[in-house]
Amino acid sequence: MLNAKIPAGPLNSKWEDYKGHCKLVNPANKRNLEVIIIGTGLAGASAAASLGELGYKVKAFCFQDSPRRAHSIAAQGGINAAKNYQNDGDSVFRLFYDTVKGGDYRAREANVHRLAEVSGNIIDQCVAQGVPFAREYGGLLSNRSFGGTQVQRTFYAAGQTGQQLLLGAYSALERQVALGNVKMYSRHEMLDIVKIDGKARGIIARDLVTGELERHFGHAVLICSGGYGNVFYLSTNAMGSNATAAWKATKNGAYFANPCFTQIHPTCIPVSGDHQSKLTLMSESLRNDGRIWVPKKQNDTRKASDIPEEERDYYLERRYPAFGNLVPRDVASRAAKERCDAGFGVGTSRQAVYLDFAAAIERYGSIEVGKRQLTNVSKEDIIKLGKEVVAEKYGNLFDMYAKITGENPYELPMRIYPAVHYTMGGLWVDYELNTTVPGLYSLGEANFSDHGANRLGASALMQGLADGYFVLPYTIGNYLADEIRTKAISTDHPAFVEAEKSVQDIINKFMTTKGTRSVDYFHKKLGKIMWDKCGMARNEKGLKEAIEEIKALRVEFWKEVRVPGEAKEFNPELEKAGRVADFLELGELMCMDALNRRESCGGHFREESQTEDGEAKRDDDNFSYVAAWEYKGYGQYELHKEPLVFEECKPTQRSYK
Amino acid sequence: MEHYNMNLTLKVWRQKNKNDQGRFETLQAKDISSEMSFLEMFDVVNEQLINDGKDPVAFDHDCREGICGSCSMHINGRAHGPWDGTTTCQLHMRAFNDGDTITVEPWRAGAFPVIKDLTVDRTAFDRIIEAGGYISVNTGNAQDANCLPVDKNDADLSFAAASCIGCGACVAACKNSSAMLFVSAKVSQLALLPQGHPEKQSRALNMVAQMDKEGFGSCTNTGACEAECPKEISLTNIARLNREFIGAGFSSEK
Ligand SMILES: Cc1cc2nc3c(=O)[nH]c(=O)nc-3n(C[C@H](O)[C@H](O)[C@H](O)COP(=O)(O)OP(=O)(O)OC[C@H]3O[C@@H](n4cnc5c(N)ncnc54)[C@H](O)[C@@H]3O)c2cc1C
């Protein structure tokens, strides 16, 4: 039976109580305790810095050439915190409630409440580090709205919030590197976990420049390796984002939770052709001001500017008057798909809808006219002023759109379509962020913990930093306090030798297969199966087919993959091969999980389970649980259930009408 | 936007590892769509090389949306290619025409040794940040964020400096391989904020000392860095760094 180790007592005092009673490690002992951290995104960098400050000996790993390049850098829109600086009724409880509801009642209340409690500290910490958040003229911090909420609690730095937060965490990390508390291993990829007597005790990593395998010991190992959206090949993730670290953890006994919960983000630049290597997000913050519409007429080929106002269908505002364009992502994505499937899509592919700023530009322009007390202003001048305001808020996003599409979004509405963006599923962790393997922890997007079946915008940055700055530094002490007598274990231990050998065997297999097809060929094929059959809508037949197709593709992969170059050199194709091999296993598990969950919830939409007006229909009687899958050998898994108990947020049919 | 296809000739720097001498290799890029990004064009070329049993061209890239700072190609003599304010990954093929020959090299700088082909080692930048590119505040030390109002103009300037992606184009563009734009962006970001004041002079001194130690050249104010910076980081940051540096020189004698 899975034990989430949720502390007893009322929800709003659990964390206080836990902190008051968990074990502590004294400073002298901390110096002898080694912690390995895989990943230097928001979760890993914040954990590495904080643990280094506490005095632990930390080794941090990332596959990029610098910790500053983790994919957290690409986050655009913002980070939530229950500061209530806007005096608009926000509170810890509301942030907690919105997150549980937004996640369609598939998250663990105690974890989410803790997240909301520490959210304010994150903003304080980041500001103290010199993160240049957007400010008002009075010098105080500015906020905006994100989907699924009715308050303004999102802090931001133009469209580069992730970059600024990550650079803050990165500089804290580098400071600890200088102080000798953290040793940084860039261009290193973790390829296996080493377990001794059932506990995580180290890793095998490949130096990506020399190709040499290395053994590293740690009293504990933290997996902060980000999400697995790249199973779909095309996603808003970086090219290198992968599941390998989490998957090796799974193969070493950590359960994988809710693998099928993927988030399809409604506003991305549509696919333009087969050459496409990744999809680019247009931040949700744009839905603060942009209005989404399609023509009222099917297959309307007129230019957007030629379609008069009364012939436009602002379908989100029509269907969801209470939240309008700011409904949660899963709802907005399905609504876009529904319109396009019904023949109302725009652009050459007809797989796009408009995101239009004309009204916002005019509104902001008029506000400026008022602010500056201008008189006799022409319409053009108003538009010009409005464009300046929009440029200040979203300039970098508009530039990005223009570069990719060659169109000017200040003049024409953007064309957007949903794309894979985030994975709510991940390594199962208990309240302490411990996986089912003692000493093996998981933080950030790599774990499953806080977002249920759908993540609200601006909550991933919050979660990554909460885990790394304010949660794990406490909870890991509770484990390491009992490890102070464990001396560093020699990496000649048979468990290290064996783990290294199994990694070497896989590399040898890649190098000697000498097949006929590139790694990308298989990745694209897998991505297509996943998108078609385990994407925005899923059904039993499709999922069963997908499982068979993935199995077959896996067989072909191991027979036909071609990895050029050598193992003992800088070899990006070899890196990709390992990652795709793991995606080929995880993809199958995602489909199995989706097949098992015969309900719709959040981003998981089973066509068999919908309301009359096409909304997701949950089945709380049968599926109010976390599905945690145990690896039982190649392609075999056993399902464990963690029942979800709701004390504060009573599950109801989610409504944004 | 009209789309078109093109055939191109690439002259690409190939170098097996840091000890190899390196040389240009001529490659053909066929049927390239104007809608592709520059790196997607390289994906096509690499796919072909792999199918032909050859070694694909190694290059750094990750986010492919102009923010991670990984990509780093010197294209036809310009860091990140012909478009202003644009990283290699955001450069699109509509910048080129059928029949063009394009020369692609790695960043050239002594402090950025080549790892393979177009991939270079930029860890010197991390070591410069280590030397002082931070505010010394441990987790948990912070006061309420709004206790510290910041003049909006300063906050905006700080943000503009902070948008540096650490790609190294400034170094590659500079005839002296100076890292002044990179260093000054970080020094400015923090010096402009009240939180950064206590350490502003030691920060400037230590970061500049590390920059020199890494073997970056000195700044002779040619402005090539600003012109090639994909994030258009302003030269005024260098002026601010110089002020901090000189001020620090005086006060450290007390
Ligand atoms: C385009 C985009 C925009 C977004 N915008 C927002 C937003 O506005 N607000 C919000 O809240 N969220 C946003 N998100 C989501 C959010 O950015 C991510 O969920 C979050 O940053 C993940 O952080 P992380 O630390 O868990 O992982 P990452 O930042 O992905 O870091 C993963 C780290 O693990 C390392 N790694 C992985 N595997 C290995 C291995 N095998 N060996 C060694 N190292 C490894 C990598 O090198 C990297 O350092 C956005 C996401 C995307 C893609």
Side-chain angles (χ1 to χ4, degrees):
Chain A
M1 186 57 186
L2 278 170
N3 179 3
K5 295 209 211 136
I6 301 167
L11 193 58
N12 56 11
S13 59
K14 284 182 197 295
W15 182 231
E16 254 341 281
D17 260 21
Y18 177 91
K19 285 194 293 183
H21 294 98
C22 66
K23 291 178 208 155
L24 298 174
V25 181
N26 89 17
N29 285 328
K30 284 196 185 109
R31 283 195 285 276
N32 299 323
L33 290 167
E34 300 179 44
V35 180
I36 287 176
I37 302 184
I38 308 304
T40 59
L42 289 179
S46 59
S50 304
L51 293 178
E53 289 160 7
L54 287 171
Y56 292 108
K57 270 167 74 179
V58 177
K59 287 179 172 183
F61 293 77
C62 72
F63 65 75
Q64 292 92 346
D65 68 330
S66 163
R68 68 179 289 151
R69 304 203 206 283
H71 196 49
S72 294
I73 201 87
Q76 300 172 350
I79 175 166
N80 289 330
K83 282 287 200 186
N84 194 30
Y85 283 162
Q86 304 306 323
N87 194 30
D88 57 0
D90 201 8
S91 63
V92 165
F93 183 82
R94 277 204 200 269
L95 173 52
F96 154 75
Y97 181 86
D98 286 347
T99 308
V100 173
K101 176 186 170 195
D104 216 356
Y105 305 95
R106 290 294 172 263
R108 191 190 287 150
E109 277 193 334
N111 287 51
V112 179
H113 199 277
R114 174 178 65 192
L115 174 66
E117 284 173 59
V118 303
S119 64
N121 300 57
I122 297 173
I123 302 305
D124 301 341
Q125 187 65 33
C126 295
V127 166
Q129 289 170 343
V131 169
F133 284 121
R135 290 180 182 266
E136 304 293 347
Y137 282 99
L140 301 179
L141 294 165
S142 176
N143 289 115
R144 59 185 171 203
S145 310
F146 255 63
T149 68
Q150 290 172 314
V151 295
Q152 292 198 306
R153 63 161 75 99
T154 306
F155 295 79
Y156 64 99
Q160 286 143 263
T161 316
Q163 177 195 28
Q164 295 310 320
L165 296 174
L166 183 61
L167 293 182
Y170 158 75
S171 57
L173 164 75
E174 290 296 341
R175 175 169 160 251
Q176 293 307 309
V177 173
L179 292 170
N181 299 324
V182 175
K183 191 157 169 25
M184 186 64 225
Y185 295 82
S186 296
R187 291 203 198 266
H188 274 68
E189 183 161 30
M190 181 274 236
L191 292 176
D192 211 356
I193 303 270
V194 178
K195 262 185 6 184
I196 297 176
D197 298 332
K199 293 178 174 173
R201 289 299 189 197
I203 61 160
I204 305 296
R206 180 165 174 269
D207 177 332
L208 299 181
V209 176
T210 63
E212 295 294 336
L213 296 182
E214 296 173 0
R215 306 171 190 174
H216 295 274
F217 163 79
H219 288 87
V221 177
L222 277 44
I223 307 285
C224 314
S225 53
Y228 53 89
N230 274 350
V231 170
F232 291 84
Y233 185 70
L234 285 180
S235 80
T236 63
N237 288 6
M239 301 303 288
S241 297
N242 71 91
T244 289
W247 194 247
K248 300 302 181 195
T250 306
K251 288 187 145 179
N252 277 285
Y255 296 0
F256 204 104
N258 299 335
C260 81
F261 287 173
T262 20
Q263 175 162 83
I264 316 277
H265 196 295
T267 55
C268 302
I269 301 178
V271 178
S272 68
D274 290 340
H275 58 265
Q276 193 110 11
S277 60
K278 78 153 281 166
L279 295 170
T280 302
L281 174 71
M282 286 288 108
S283 165
E284 175 159 312
S285 58
L286 296 172
R287 287 197 274 141
N288 268 284
D289 287 314
R291 296 179 70 195
I292 293 180
W293 63 275
V294 292
K296 280 190 179 155
K297 225 171 66 192
Q298 275 168 324
N299 301 315
D300 193 334
T301 51
R302 287 176 294 177
K303 286 209 299 247
S305 51
D306 296 341
I307 302 178
E309 193 58 29
E310 60 282 4
E311 292 178 39
R312 300 175 176 193
D313 177 15
Y314 295 91
Y315 58 87
L316 288 177
E317 297 168 32
R318 167 172 59 79
R319 282 178 68 176
Y320 308 100
F323 282 68
N325 290 296
L326 283 173
V327 289
R329 293 173 176 177
D330 54 334
V331 177
S333 289
R334 275 197 294 279
K337 177 174 169 10
E338 187 277 331
R339 283 293 79 187
C340 292
D341 289 353
F344 296 92
V346 301
T348 34
S349 65
R350 306 264 132 218
Q351 290 290 304
V353 301
Y354 288 127
L355 175 60
D356 196 336
F357 285 82
I361 288 175
E362 206 170 321
R363 177 164 47 86
Y364 281 122
S366 307
I367 294 175
E368 279 308 293
V369 169
K371 263 202 217 155
R372 302 185 192 182
Q373 309 197 340
L374 304 175
T375 44
N376 283 337
V377 193
S378 67
K379 175 120 194 233
E380 283 84 78
D381 286 340
I382 297 180
I383 303 273
K384 188 161 163 280
L385 288 168
K387 282 181 186 164
E388 284 168 16
V389 177
V390 167
E392 183 178 330
K393 285 179 179 267
Y394 311 113
N396 71 316
L397 301 172
F398 277 53
D399 289 351
M400 197 144 81
Y401 183 86
K403 273 173 201 155
I404 292 174
T405 62
E407 290 172 3
N408 179 354
Y410 293 99
E411 306 291 340
L412 302 169
M414 293 180 176
R415 282 173 296 107
I416 52 154
Y417 197 70
V420 174
H421 177 58
Y422 182 88
T423 46
M424 281 75 67
L427 292 173
W428 184 89
V429 289
D430 62 18
Y431 188 73
E432 299 187 305
L433 304 183
N434 194 177
T435 67
T436 44
V437 175
L440 184 63
Y441 292 78
S442 183
L443 287 66
E445 192 174 338
N447 75 26
F448 88 107
S449 73
D450 297 341
H451 309 293
N454 172 57
R455 174 176 70 81
L456 290 183
S459 287
L461 301 182
M462 168 172 73
Q463 183 224 331
L465 291 180
D467 288 357
Y469 284 136
F470 297 110
V471 176
L472 183 103
Y474 290 91
T475 60
I476 200 170
N478 209 30
Y479 174 76
L480 291 176
D482 293 332
E483 293 290 328
I484 54 176
R485 279 168 210 88
T486 310
K487 295 268 175 311
I489 298 171
S490 158
T491 53
D492 294 333
H493 187 286
F496 277 96
V497 177
E498 200 181 307
E500 185 183 309
K501 184 175 176 300
S502 72
V503 171
Q504 189 62 59
D505 288 348
I506 295 174
I507 293 176
N508 292 348
K509 175 97 178 90
F510 284 136
M511 300 316 301
T512 52
T513 298
K514 299 203 185 302
T516 54
R517 299 209 182 265
S518 71
V519 176
D520 280 356
Y521 166 88
F522 294 99
H523 197 177
K524 286 182 185 173
K525 274 202 137 177
L526 173 66
K528 178 145 175 42
I529 299 172
M530 295 300 294
W531 180 246
D532 289 346
K533 297 183 172 163
C534 196
M536 262 192 283
R538 302 148 176 197
N539 61 50
E540 181 174 336
K541 177 168 168 287
L543 288 166
K544 285 184 170 158
E545 286 165 7
I547 290 171
E548 292 314 312
E549 289 168 27
I550 295 170
K551 279 190 168 66
L553 188 62
R554 218 161 48 210
V555 173
E556 193 192 339
F557 174 81
W558 286 108
K559 277 215 308 259
E560 288 299 335
V561 72
R562 171 180 290 184
V563 179
E566 290 150 34
K568 290 277 164 66
E569 66 169 347
F570 185 67
N571 189 341
E573 285 296 313
L574 176 59
E575 295 163 30
K576 274 200 279 187
R579 294 169 192 163
V580 171
D582 293 335
F583 283 147
L584 281 164
E585 292 181 48
L586 174 55
E588 181 188 16
L589 181 62
M590 290 166 70
C591 295
M592 287 169 69
D593 186 45
L595 187 61
N596 170 67
R597 196 170 279 278
R598 291 182 314 281
E599 65 161 351
S600 296
C601 56
H604 169 65
F605 190 70
R606 279 288 298 261
E607 285 169 350
E608 301 92 331
S609 178
Q610 48 183 309
T611 62
E612 271 165 23
D613 42 2
E615 303 292 342
K617 194 163 129 211
R618 285 198 325 269
D619 175 358
D620 291 332
D621 291 341
N622 293 303
F623 293 98
S624 186
Y625 63 77
V626 176
W629 298 86
E630 181 184 3
Y631 182 82
K632 285 279 181 190
Y634 199 64
Q636 287 171 335
Y637 307 89
E638 183 181 334
L639 174 63
H640 302 266
K641 297 177 185 175
E642 178 199 339
L644 290 167
V645 183
F646 294 93
E647 290 168 8
E648 292 287 341
C649 306
K650 292 292 167 218
T652 52
Q653 172 73 34
R654 229 172 23 144
S655 168
Y656 293 94
K657 301 198 158 153
Chain B
M1 200 72 201
E2 279 304 308
H3 307 308
Y4 54 95
N5 277 12
M6 61 195 109
N7 293 321
L8 302 161
T9 303
L10 305 178
K11 296 210 151 106
V12 182
W13 186 257
R14 304 303 306 261
Q15 183 174 335
K16 203 157 170 46
N17 53 47
K18 68 172 191 284
N19 301 320
D20 181 28
Q21 275 231 312
R23 76 210 136 75
F24 280 104
E25 182 176 71
T26 303
L27 298 168
Q28 301 303 325
K30 296 210 183 83
D31 273 333
I32 300 300
S33 152
S34 60
E35 285 189 288
M36 290 180 189
S37 70
F38 199 76
L39 297 184
E40 284 168 347
M41 182 271 291
F42 260 97
D43 293 342
V44 173
V45 170
N46 275 347
E47 182 78 16
Q48 190 58 49
L49 287 170
I50 294 168
N51 287 339
D52 294 347
K54 296 188 184 136
D55 209 16
V57 182
F59 58 90
D60 268 327
H61 65 112
D62 201 24
C63 78
R64 294 205 178 188
E65 44 188 81
I67 194 79
C68 74
S70 297
C71 62
S72 43
M73 294 186 186
H74 215 248
I75 302 162
N76 286 342
R78 286 191 67 182
H80 292 303
W83 286 358
D84 287 342
T86 305
T87 55
T88 305
C89 66
Q90 294 291 74
L91 173 64
H92 276 65
M93 294 312 292
R94 59 179 184 276
F96 300 93
N97 295 309
D98 189 31
D100 280 358
T101 297
I102 309 175
T103 306
V104 190
E105 296 170 80
W107 286 171
R108 303 279 189 197
F112 290 162
V114 171
I115 290 175
K116 185 176 181 181
D117 298 339
L118 304 174
T119 311
V120 299
D121 178 351
R122 288 171 288 192
T123 48
F125 271 10
D126 289 330
R127 291 187 293 272
I128 293 176
I129 298 295
E130 248 173 70
Y134 46 75
I135 289 172
S136 298
V137 52
N138 283 359
T139 304
N141 278 179
Q143 58 176 347
D144 184 84
N146 260 354
C147 286
L148 197 72
V150 180
D151 179 84
K152 179 160 165 40
N153 190 43
D154 288 343
D156 288 350
L157 286 174
S158 172
F159 171 75
S163 61
C164 167
I165 57 175
C167 64
C170 47
V171 175
C174 175
K175 65 180 169 43
N176 306 324
S177 303
S178 168
M180 278 293 267
L181 194 64
F182 169 76
V183 174
S184 70
K186 186 47 81 181
V187 166
S188 289
Q189 176 204 339
L190 300 178
L192 281 159
L193 299 171
Q195 305 89 299
H197 275 208
E199 297 169 286
K200 68 177 182 170
Q201 302 196 324
S202 58
R203 178 180 306 119
L205 286 177
N206 293 338
M207 290 180 75
V208 168
Q210 187 66 32
M211 173 179 78
D212 293 343
K213 203 168 130 191
E214 297 289 347
F216 292 101
S218 53
C219 171
T220 49
N221 277 317
T222 62
C225 52
E226 184 190 54
E228 301 292 35
C229 173
K231 296 294 145 181
E232 302 179 318
I233 305 284
S234 160
L235 274 182
T236 55
N237 290 303
I238 297 189
R240 195 176 292 106
L241 168 61
N242 286 333
R243 271 203 306 280
E244 298 299 340
F245 188 78
I246 294 167
F250 283 126
S251 61
S252 64
E253 286 168 25
K254 60 180 174 216

